[in-house]
Amino acid sequence: MSISKSKNLERKLNNIAQEATNELNNVCGSSLWESLGFMFFDQLEDPEKIAKANFYYGQLQIINEIKFFI
């Protein structure tokens, strides 16, 4: 992969990670989830919020794995 494609991919992954982080902050009401991880989501009362938080947290995990290999 060329350097420009690699940098473009990294930029896109960073944008997706930022969107996921913003969504998690909105769902959780704070950034406390960043220090506690997915265990924080069990304290959310709304099952829809729990599902949304798990989805976005999963996205962040996948992005971190992809970044590890590029």
Side-chain angles (χ1 to χ4, degrees), residues 29-62:
S30 71
S31 62
L32 186 58
W33 64 270
E34 291 185 59
S35 60
L36 298 175
F38 69 93
M39 294 172 54
F40 180 82
F41 308 149
D42 292 337
Q43 298 184 20
L44 297 171
E45 294 181 10
D46 184 3
E48 194 172 307
K49 284 185 175 186
I50 294 170
K52 194 172 184 179
N54 281 317
F55 172 78
Y56 286 111
Y57 191 76
Q59 271 192 340
L60 287 175
Q61 294 300 103
I62 291 170

PDB file of all heavy atoms in Angstrom, residues 29-62:
ATOM      1  N   GLY A  29     -23.498   9.954  28.643  1.00  0.00           N
ATOM      2  CA  GLY A  29     -23.635  11.202  29.372  1.00  0.00           C
ATOM      3  C   GLY A  29     -22.322  11.769  29.879  1.00  0.00           C
ATOM      4  O   GLY A  29     -22.299  12.812  30.522  1.00  0.00           O
ATOM      5  N   SER A  30     -21.228  11.080  29.633  1.00  0.00           N
ATOM      6  CA  SER A  30     -19.906  11.569  30.036  1.00  0.00           C
ATOM      7  C   SER A  30     -18.850  10.712  29.343  1.00  0.00           C
ATOM      8  O   SER A  30     -19.171   9.771  28.623  1.00  0.00           O
ATOM      9  CB  SER A  30     -19.721  11.470  31.549  1.00  0.00           C
ATOM     10  OG  SER A  30     -19.590  10.119  31.946  1.00  0.00           O
ATOM     11  N   SER A  31     -17.604  11.027  29.626  1.00  0.00           N
ATOM     12  CA  SER A  31     -16.509  10.245  29.051  1.00  0.00           C
ATOM     13  C   SER A  31     -15.955   9.231  30.056  1.00  0.00           C
ATOM     14  O   SER A  31     -14.889   8.668  29.846  1.00  0.00           O
ATOM     15  CB  SER A  31     -15.400  11.163  28.554  1.00  0.00           C
ATOM     16  OG  SER A  31     -14.872  11.901  29.639  1.00  0.00           O
ATOM     17  N   LEU A  32     -16.689   8.991  31.125  1.00  0.00           N
ATOM     18  CA  LEU A  32     -16.246   8.054  32.150  1.00  0.00           C
ATOM     19  C   LEU A  32     -16.055   6.646  31.597  1.00  0.00           C
ATOM     20  O   LEU A  32     -15.207   5.892  32.068  1.00  0.00           O
ATOM     21  CB  LEU A  32     -17.252   8.030  33.310  1.00  0.00           C
ATOM     22  CG  LEU A  32     -16.885   7.214  34.535  1.00  0.00           C
ATOM     23  CD1 LEU A  32     -15.568   7.709  35.121  1.00  0.00           C
ATOM     24  CD2 LEU A  32     -17.978   7.295  35.577  1.00  0.00           C
ATOM     25  N   TRP A  33     -16.801   6.299  30.566  1.00  0.00           N
ATOM     26  CA  TRP A  33     -16.679   4.976  29.949  1.00  0.00           C
ATOM     27  C   TRP A  33     -15.263   4.711  29.446  1.00  0.00           C
ATOM     28  O   TRP A  33     -14.828   3.571  29.380  1.00  0.00           O
ATOM     29  CB  TRP A  33     -17.670   4.821  28.793  1.00  0.00           C
ATOM     30  CG  TRP A  33     -17.409   5.773  27.672  1.00  0.00           C
ATOM     31  CD1 TRP A  33     -17.923   7.024  27.512  1.00  0.00           C
ATOM     32  CD2 TRP A  33     -16.517   5.554  26.574  1.00  0.00           C
ATOM     33  NE1 TRP A  33     -17.400   7.607  26.372  1.00  0.00           N
ATOM     34  CE2 TRP A  33     -16.540   6.724  25.786  1.00  0.00           C
ATOM     35  CE3 TRP A  33     -15.705   4.504  26.176  1.00  0.00           C
ATOM     36  CZ2 TRP A  33     -15.790   6.860  24.630  1.00  0.00           C
ATOM     37  CZ3 TRP A  33     -14.956   4.639  25.019  1.00  0.00           C
ATOM     38  CH2 TRP A  33     -15.012   5.809  24.259  1.00  0.00           C
ATOM     39  N   GLU A  34     -14.521   5.787  29.114  1.00  0.00           N
ATOM     40  CA  GLU A  34     -13.167   5.615  28.588  1.00  0.00           C
ATOM     41  C   GLU A  34     -12.235   4.975  29.614  1.00  0.00           C
ATOM     42  O   GLU A  34     -11.342   4.216  29.246  1.00  0.00           O
ATOM     43  CB  GLU A  34     -12.594   6.950  28.116  1.00  0.00           C
ATOM     44  CG  GLU A  34     -13.282   7.467  26.877  1.00  0.00           C
ATOM     45  CD  GLU A  34     -12.647   8.732  26.342  1.00  0.00           C
ATOM     46  OE1 GLU A  34     -11.441   8.685  26.021  1.00  0.00           O
ATOM     47  OE2 GLU A  34     -13.347   9.744  26.242  1.00  0.00           O
ATOM     48  N   SER A  35     -12.441   5.268  30.884  1.00  0.00           N
ATOM     49  CA  SER A  35     -11.583   4.677  31.906  1.00  0.00           C
ATOM     50  C   SER A  35     -12.126   3.340  32.410  1.00  0.00           C
ATOM     51  O   SER A  35     -11.363   2.498  32.868  1.00  0.00           O
ATOM     52  CB  SER A  35     -11.402   5.644  33.079  1.00  0.00           C
ATOM     53  OG  SER A  35     -12.646   5.949  33.660  1.00  0.00           O
ATOM     54  N   LEU A  36     -13.439   3.132  32.305  1.00  0.00           N
ATOM     55  CA  LEU A  36     -14.036   1.895  32.811  1.00  0.00           C
ATOM     56  C   LEU A  36     -14.271   0.843  31.732  1.00  0.00           C
ATOM     57  O   LEU A  36     -14.484  -0.324  32.036  1.00  0.00           O
ATOM     58  CB  LEU A  36     -15.369   2.198  33.507  1.00  0.00           C
ATOM     59  CG  LEU A  36     -15.284   3.093  34.732  1.00  0.00           C
ATOM     60  CD1 LEU A  36     -16.677   3.403  35.253  1.00  0.00           C
ATOM     61  CD2 LEU A  36     -14.445   2.439  35.815  1.00  0.00           C
ATOM     62  N   GLY A  37     -14.276   1.255  30.481  1.00  0.00           N
ATOM     63  CA  GLY A  37     -14.510   0.310  29.394  1.00  0.00           C
ATOM     64  C   GLY A  37     -15.969  -0.100  29.298  1.00  0.00           C
ATOM     65  O   GLY A  37     -16.863   0.578  29.804  1.00  0.00           O
ATOM     66  N   PHE A  38     -16.197  -1.245  28.664  1.00  0.00           N
ATOM     67  CA  PHE A  38     -17.567  -1.678  28.412  1.00  0.00           C
ATOM     68  C   PHE A  38     -18.330  -2.025  29.683  1.00  0.00           C
ATOM     69  O   PHE A  38     -19.554  -2.123  29.671  1.00  0.00           O
ATOM     70  CB  PHE A  38     -17.589  -2.853  27.428  1.00  0.00           C
ATOM     71  CG  PHE A  38     -17.041  -4.127  27.985  1.00  0.00           C
ATOM     72  CD1 PHE A  38     -17.884  -5.048  28.579  1.00  0.00           C
ATOM     73  CD2 PHE A  38     -15.697  -4.415  27.897  1.00  0.00           C
ATOM     74  CE1 PHE A  38     -17.381  -6.230  29.088  1.00  0.00           C
ATOM     75  CE2 PHE A  38     -15.187  -5.593  28.397  1.00  0.00           C
ATOM     76  CZ  PHE A  38     -16.030  -6.500  28.998  1.00  0.00           C
ATOM     77  N   MET A  39     -17.638  -2.205  30.807  1.00  0.00           N
ATOM     78  CA  MET A  39     -18.320  -2.499  32.073  1.00  0.00           C
ATOM     79  C   MET A  39     -19.215  -1.332  32.493  1.00  0.00           C
ATOM     80  O   MET A  39     -20.204  -1.527  33.192  1.00  0.00           O
ATOM     81  CB  MET A  39     -17.301  -2.835  33.158  1.00  0.00           C
ATOM     82  CG  MET A  39     -16.563  -4.133  32.876  1.00  0.00           C
ATOM     83  SD  MET A  39     -15.195  -4.477  34.000  1.00  0.00           S
ATOM     84  CE  MET A  39     -15.971  -4.355  35.582  1.00  0.00           C
ATOM     85  N   PHE A  40     -18.887  -0.134  32.050  1.00  0.00           N
ATOM     86  CA  PHE A  40     -19.703   1.040  32.368  1.00  0.00           C
ATOM     87  C   PHE A  40     -21.099   0.911  31.776  1.00  0.00           C
ATOM     88  O   PHE A  40     -22.070   1.395  32.352  1.00  0.00           O
ATOM     89  CB  PHE A  40     -19.021   2.307  31.830  1.00  0.00           C
ATOM     90  CG  PHE A  40     -19.788   3.569  32.107  1.00  0.00           C
ATOM     91  CD1 PHE A  40     -19.686   4.197  33.329  1.00  0.00           C
ATOM     92  CD2 PHE A  40     -20.622   4.119  31.145  1.00  0.00           C
ATOM     93  CE1 PHE A  40     -20.394   5.367  33.590  1.00  0.00           C
ATOM     94  CE2 PHE A  40     -21.331   5.277  31.394  1.00  0.00           C
ATOM     95  CZ  PHE A  40     -21.225   5.900  32.624  1.00  0.00           C
ATOM     96  N   PHE A  41     -21.212   0.240  30.639  1.00  0.00           N
ATOM     97  CA  PHE A  41     -22.488   0.155  29.932  1.00  0.00           C
ATOM     98  C   PHE A  41     -23.531  -0.634  30.716  1.00  0.00           C
ATOM     99  O   PHE A  41     -24.728  -0.428  30.541  1.00  0.00           O
ATOM    100  CB  PHE A  41     -22.309  -0.460  28.542  1.00  0.00           C
ATOM    101  CG  PHE A  41     -21.245   0.213  27.724  1.00  0.00           C
ATOM    102  CD1 PHE A  41     -20.512  -0.503  26.805  1.00  0.00           C
ATOM    103  CD2 PHE A  41     -20.955   1.561  27.876  1.00  0.00           C
ATOM    104  CE1 PHE A  41     -19.527   0.107  26.047  1.00  0.00           C
ATOM    105  CE2 PHE A  41     -19.967   2.185  27.131  1.00  0.00           C
ATOM    106  CZ  PHE A  41     -19.254   1.453  26.220  1.00  0.00           C
ATOM    107  N   ASP A  42     -23.093  -1.545  31.585  1.00  0.00           N
ATOM    108  CA  ASP A  42     -24.032  -2.319  32.399  1.00  0.00           C
ATOM    109  C   ASP A  42     -24.817  -1.424  33.352  1.00  0.00           C
ATOM    110  O   ASP A  42     -25.888  -1.806  33.818  1.00  0.00           O
ATOM    111  CB  ASP A  42     -23.298  -3.396  33.198  1.00  0.00           C
ATOM    112  CG  ASP A  42     -22.725  -4.483  32.314  1.00  0.00           C
ATOM    113  OD1 ASP A  42     -23.248  -4.653  31.190  1.00  0.00           O
ATOM    114  OD2 ASP A  42     -21.772  -5.154  32.738  1.00  0.00           O
ATOM    115  N   GLN A  43     -24.295  -0.251  33.638  1.00  0.00           N
ATOM    116  CA  GLN A  43     -24.969   0.658  34.565  1.00  0.00           C
ATOM    117  C   GLN A  43     -26.014   1.528  33.871  1.00  0.00           C
ATOM    118  O   GLN A  43     -26.771   2.221  34.537  1.00  0.00           O
ATOM    119  CB  GLN A  43     -23.938   1.526  35.272  1.00  0.00           C
ATOM    120  CG  GLN A  43     -22.978   0.710  36.112  1.00  0.00           C
ATOM    121  CD  GLN A  43     -22.017   1.575  36.878  1.00  0.00           C
ATOM    122  OE1 GLN A  43     -22.244   2.750  37.096  1.00  0.00           O
ATOM    123  NE2 GLN A  43     -20.918   0.975  37.308  1.00  0.00           N
ATOM    124  N   LEU A  44     -26.051   1.479  32.547  1.00  0.00           N
ATOM    125  CA  LEU A  44     -27.078   2.219  31.820  1.00  0.00           C
ATOM    126  C   LEU A  44     -28.409   1.497  32.004  1.00  0.00           C
ATOM    127  O   LEU A  44     -28.468   0.270  32.011  1.00  0.00           O
ATOM    128  CB  LEU A  44     -26.727   2.309  30.330  1.00  0.00           C
ATOM    129  CG  LEU A  44     -25.439   3.059  29.984  1.00  0.00           C
ATOM    130  CD1 LEU A  44     -25.111   2.885  28.510  1.00  0.00           C
ATOM    131  CD2 LEU A  44     -25.567   4.532  30.327  1.00  0.00           C
ATOM    132  N   GLU A  45     -29.476   2.251  32.159  1.00  0.00           N
ATOM    133  CA  GLU A  45     -30.778   1.639  32.444  1.00  0.00           C
ATOM    134  C   GLU A  45     -31.556   1.265  31.190  1.00  0.00           C
ATOM    135  O   GLU A  45     -32.303   0.302  31.187  1.00  0.00           O
ATOM    136  CB  GLU A  45     -31.606   2.578  33.320  1.00  0.00           C
ATOM    137  CG  GLU A  45     -31.003   2.764  34.698  1.00  0.00           C
ATOM    138  CD  GLU A  45     -31.840   3.672  35.570  1.00  0.00           C
ATOM    139  OE1 GLU A  45     -32.976   4.004  35.185  1.00  0.00           O
ATOM    140  OE2 GLU A  45     -31.346   4.024  36.638  1.00  0.00           O
ATOM    141  N   ASP A  46     -31.381   2.003  30.126  1.00  0.00           N
ATOM    142  CA  ASP A  46     -32.140   1.783  28.896  1.00  0.00           C
ATOM    143  C   ASP A  46     -31.447   0.726  28.036  1.00  0.00           C
ATOM    144  O   ASP A  46     -30.297   0.915  27.635  1.00  0.00           O
ATOM    145  CB  ASP A  46     -32.235   3.112  28.133  1.00  0.00           C
ATOM    146  CG  ASP A  46     -33.072   3.041  26.885  1.00  0.00           C
ATOM    147  OD1 ASP A  46     -33.654   1.972  26.596  1.00  0.00           O
ATOM    148  OD2 ASP A  46     -33.151   4.065  26.182  1.00  0.00           O
ATOM    149  N   PRO A  47     -32.138  -0.393  27.732  1.00  0.00           N
ATOM    150  CA  PRO A  47     -31.518  -1.434  26.900  1.00  0.00           C
ATOM    151  C   PRO A  47     -31.084  -0.928  25.520  1.00  0.00           C
ATOM    152  O   PRO A  47     -30.097  -1.410  24.961  1.00  0.00           O
ATOM    153  CB  PRO A  47     -32.609  -2.491  26.753  1.00  0.00           C
ATOM    154  CG  PRO A  47     -33.567  -2.231  27.847  1.00  0.00           C
ATOM    155  CD  PRO A  47     -33.465  -0.772  28.184  1.00  0.00           C
ATOM    156  N   GLU A  48     -31.790   0.057  25.006  1.00  0.00           N
ATOM    157  CA  GLU A  48     -31.415   0.624  23.707  1.00  0.00           C
ATOM    158  C   GLU A  48     -30.079   1.365  23.808  1.00  0.00           C
ATOM    159  O   GLU A  48     -29.244   1.283  22.902  1.00  0.00           O
ATOM    160  CB  GLU A  48     -32.511   1.574  23.217  1.00  0.00           C
ATOM    161  CG  GLU A  48     -32.383   1.951  21.764  1.00  0.00           C
ATOM    162  CD  GLU A  48     -33.591   2.720  21.273  1.00  0.00           C
ATOM    163  OE1 GLU A  48     -34.717   2.223  21.448  1.00  0.00           O
ATOM    164  OE2 GLU A  48     -33.382   3.819  20.732  1.00  0.00           O
ATOM    165  N   LYS A  49     -29.877   2.075  24.910  1.00  0.00           N
ATOM    166  CA  LYS A  49     -28.612   2.772  25.118  1.00  0.00           C
ATOM    167  C   LYS A  49     -27.468   1.775  25.303  1.00  0.00           C
ATOM    168  O   LYS A  49     -26.365   1.993  24.811  1.00  0.00           O
ATOM    169  CB  LYS A  49     -28.690   3.694  26.332  1.00  0.00           C
ATOM    170  CG  LYS A  49     -29.455   4.964  26.087  1.00  0.00           C
ATOM    171  CD  LYS A  49     -29.376   5.877  27.282  1.00  0.00           C
ATOM    172  CE  LYS A  49     -30.035   7.209  26.982  1.00  0.00           C
ATOM    173  NZ  LYS A  49     -29.851   8.157  28.086  1.00  0.00           N
ATOM    174  N   ILE A  50     -27.738   0.690  26.000  1.00  0.00           N
ATOM    175  CA  ILE A  50     -26.713  -0.345  26.200  1.00  0.00           C
ATOM    176  C   ILE A  50     -26.297  -0.929  24.855  1.00  0.00           C
ATOM    177  O   ILE A  50     -25.110  -1.089  24.572  1.00  0.00           O
ATOM    178  CB  ILE A  50     -27.219  -1.445  27.147  1.00  0.00           C
ATOM    179  CG1 ILE A  50     -27.433  -0.880  28.551  1.00  0.00           C
ATOM    180  CG2 ILE A  50     -26.240  -2.621  27.190  1.00  0.00           C
ATOM    181  CD1 ILE A  50     -28.143  -1.817  29.498  1.00  0.00           C
ATOM    182  N   ALA A  51     -27.282  -1.228  24.018  1.00  0.00           N
ATOM    183  CA  ALA A  51     -26.998  -1.792  22.701  1.00  0.00           C
ATOM    184  C   ALA A  51     -26.198  -0.813  21.847  1.00  0.00           C
ATOM    185  O   ALA A  51     -25.228  -1.201  21.178  1.00  0.00           O
ATOM    186  CB  ALA A  51     -28.293  -2.175  22.004  1.00  0.00           C
ATOM    187  N   LYS A  52     -26.588   0.451  21.881  1.00  0.00           N
ATOM    188  CA  LYS A  52     -25.891   1.471  21.100  1.00  0.00           C
ATOM    189  C   LYS A  52     -24.453   1.640  21.599  1.00  0.00           C
ATOM    190  O   LYS A  52     -23.521   1.725  20.806  1.00  0.00           O
ATOM    191  CB  LYS A  52     -26.656   2.794  21.182  1.00  0.00           C
ATOM    192  CG  LYS A  52     -26.236   3.821  20.185  1.00  0.00           C
ATOM    193  CD  LYS A  52     -27.177   5.017  20.212  1.00  0.00           C
ATOM    194  CE  LYS A  52     -26.828   6.007  19.139  1.00  0.00           C
ATOM    195  NZ  LYS A  52     -27.726   7.153  19.114  1.00  0.00           N
ATOM    196  N   ALA A  53     -24.283   1.663  22.911  1.00  0.00           N
ATOM    197  CA  ALA A  53     -22.949   1.809  23.492  1.00  0.00           C
ATOM    198  C   ALA A  53     -22.070   0.612  23.115  1.00  0.00           C
ATOM    199  O   ALA A  53     -20.909   0.790  22.743  1.00  0.00           O
ATOM    200  CB  ALA A  53     -23.044   1.942  25.012  1.00  0.00           C
ATOM    201  N   ASN A  54     -22.605  -0.589  23.186  1.00  0.00           N
ATOM    202  CA  ASN A  54     -21.839  -1.773  22.813  1.00  0.00           C
ATOM    203  C   ASN A  54     -21.444  -1.738  21.338  1.00  0.00           C
ATOM    204  O   ASN A  54     -20.336  -2.134  20.974  1.00  0.00           O
ATOM    205  CB  ASN A  54     -22.622  -3.049  23.126  1.00  0.00           C
ATOM    206  CG  ASN A  54     -22.560  -3.403  24.588  1.00  0.00           C
ATOM    207  OD1 ASN A  54     -21.517  -3.326  25.216  1.00  0.00           O
ATOM    208  ND2 ASN A  54     -23.691  -3.783  25.149  1.00  0.00           N
ATOM    209  N   PHE A  55     -22.347  -1.270  20.490  1.00  0.00           N
ATOM    210  CA  PHE A  55     -22.057  -1.168  19.061  1.00  0.00           C
ATOM    211  C   PHE A  55     -20.881  -0.234  18.807  1.00  0.00           C
ATOM    212  O   PHE A  55     -19.913  -0.589  18.124  1.00  0.00           O
ATOM    213  CB  PHE A  55     -23.297  -0.684  18.301  1.00  0.00           C
ATOM    214  CG  PHE A  55     -23.026  -0.382  16.857  1.00  0.00           C
ATOM    215  CD1 PHE A  55     -22.919  -1.402  15.935  1.00  0.00           C
ATOM    216  CD2 PHE A  55     -22.863   0.926  16.425  1.00  0.00           C
ATOM    217  CE1 PHE A  55     -22.657  -1.121  14.592  1.00  0.00           C
ATOM    218  CE2 PHE A  55     -22.613   1.208  15.091  1.00  0.00           C
ATOM    219  CZ  PHE A  55     -22.507   0.184  14.177  1.00  0.00           C
ATOM    220  N   TYR A  56     -20.940   0.966  19.374  1.00  0.00           N
ATOM    221  CA  TYR A  56     -19.877   1.942  19.138  1.00  0.00           C
ATOM    222  C   TYR A  56     -18.575   1.545  19.810  1.00  0.00           C
ATOM    223  O   TYR A  56     -17.489   1.791  19.289  1.00  0.00           O
ATOM    224  CB  TYR A  56     -20.316   3.341  19.558  1.00  0.00           C
ATOM    225  CG  TYR A  56     -21.287   3.942  18.579  1.00  0.00           C
ATOM    226  CD1 TYR A  56     -22.620   4.148  18.911  1.00  0.00           C
ATOM    227  CD2 TYR A  56     -20.881   4.278  17.292  1.00  0.00           C
ATOM    228  CE1 TYR A  56     -23.521   4.679  17.996  1.00  0.00           C
ATOM    229  CE2 TYR A  56     -21.764   4.805  16.373  1.00  0.00           C
ATOM    230  CZ  TYR A  56     -23.076   5.002  16.730  1.00  0.00           C
ATOM    231  OH  TYR A  56     -23.959   5.513  15.811  1.00  0.00           O
ATOM    232  N   TYR A  57     -18.653   0.896  20.952  1.00  0.00           N
ATOM    233  CA  TYR A  57     -17.439   0.412  21.606  1.00  0.00           C
ATOM    234  C   TYR A  57     -16.794  -0.676  20.744  1.00  0.00           C
ATOM    235  O   TYR A  57     -15.573  -0.715  20.600  1.00  0.00           O
ATOM    236  CB  TYR A  57     -17.759  -0.122  23.004  1.00  0.00           C
ATOM    237  CG  TYR A  57     -16.530  -0.394  23.828  1.00  0.00           C
ATOM    238  CD1 TYR A  57     -15.820   0.642  24.409  1.00  0.00           C
ATOM    239  CD2 TYR A  57     -16.080  -1.698  24.032  1.00  0.00           C
ATOM    240  CE1 TYR A  57     -14.686   0.402  25.169  1.00  0.00           C
ATOM    241  CE2 TYR A  57     -14.954  -1.953  24.792  1.00  0.00           C
ATOM    242  CZ  TYR A  57     -14.270  -0.898  25.352  1.00  0.00           C
ATOM    243  OH  TYR A  57     -13.142  -1.137  26.109  1.00  0.00           O
ATOM    244  N   GLY A  58     -17.609  -1.524  20.158  1.00  0.00           N
ATOM    245  CA  GLY A  58     -17.104  -2.544  19.245  1.00  0.00           C
ATOM    246  C   GLY A  58     -16.410  -1.925  18.045  1.00  0.00           C
ATOM    247  O   GLY A  58     -15.372  -2.418  17.589  1.00  0.00           O
ATOM    248  N   GLN A  59     -16.993  -0.838  17.529  1.00  0.00           N
ATOM    249  CA  GLN A  59     -16.352  -0.132  16.414  1.00  0.00           C
ATOM    250  C   GLN A  59     -14.964   0.357  16.807  1.00  0.00           C
ATOM    251  O   GLN A  59     -14.010   0.224  16.032  1.00  0.00           O
ATOM    252  CB  GLN A  59     -17.194   1.071  15.983  1.00  0.00           C
ATOM    253  CG  GLN A  59     -18.203   0.769  14.945  1.00  0.00           C
ATOM    254  CD  GLN A  59     -18.792   2.052  14.366  1.00  0.00           C
ATOM    255  OE1 GLN A  59     -18.733   3.130  14.959  1.00  0.00           O
ATOM    256  NE2 GLN A  59     -19.374   1.926  13.189  1.00  0.00           N
ATOM    257  N   LEU A  60     -14.857   0.922  17.993  1.00  0.00           N
ATOM    258  CA  LEU A  60     -13.557   1.420  18.449  1.00  0.00           C
ATOM    259  C   LEU A  60     -12.547   0.283  18.577  1.00  0.00           C
ATOM    260  O   LEU A  60     -11.366   0.452  18.231  1.00  0.00           O
ATOM    261  CB  LEU A  60     -13.700   2.149  19.786  1.00  0.00           C
ATOM    262  CG  LEU A  60     -14.356   3.514  19.738  1.00  0.00           C
ATOM    263  CD1 LEU A  60     -14.529   4.064  21.155  1.00  0.00           C
ATOM    264  CD2 LEU A  60     -13.541   4.474  18.896  1.00  0.00           C
ATOM    265  N   GLN A  61     -12.991  -0.862  19.066  1.00  0.00           N
ATOM    266  CA  GLN A  61     -12.095  -2.005  19.205  1.00  0.00           C
ATOM    267  C   GLN A  61     -11.592  -2.467  17.835  1.00  0.00           C
ATOM    268  O   GLN A  61     -10.417  -2.764  17.668  1.00  0.00           O
ATOM    269  CB  GLN A  61     -12.801  -3.149  19.934  1.00  0.00           C
ATOM    270  CG  GLN A  61     -13.154  -2.839  21.374  1.00  0.00           C
ATOM    271  CD  GLN A  61     -11.933  -2.511  22.196  1.00  0.00           C
ATOM    272  OE1 GLN A  61     -11.677  -1.354  22.480  1.00  0.00           O
ATOM    273  NE2 GLN A  61     -11.180  -3.504  22.568  1.00  0.00           N
ATOM    274  N   ILE A  62     -12.485  -2.525  16.862  1.00  0.00           N
ATOM    275  CA  ILE A  62     -12.100  -2.945  15.509  1.00  0.00           C
ATOM    276  C   ILE A  62     -11.121  -1.946  14.899  1.00  0.00           C
ATOM    277  O   ILE A  62     -10.124  -2.333  14.282  1.00  0.00           O
ATOM    278  CB  ILE A  62     -13.349  -3.111  14.623  1.00  0.00           C
ATOM    279  CG1 ILE A  62     -14.151  -4.323  15.093  1.00  0.00           C
ATOM    280  CG2 ILE A  62     -12.963  -3.252  13.159  1.00  0.00           C
ATOM    281  CD1 ILE A  62     -15.522  -4.440  14.464  1.00  0.00           C
TER     282      ILE A  62
END
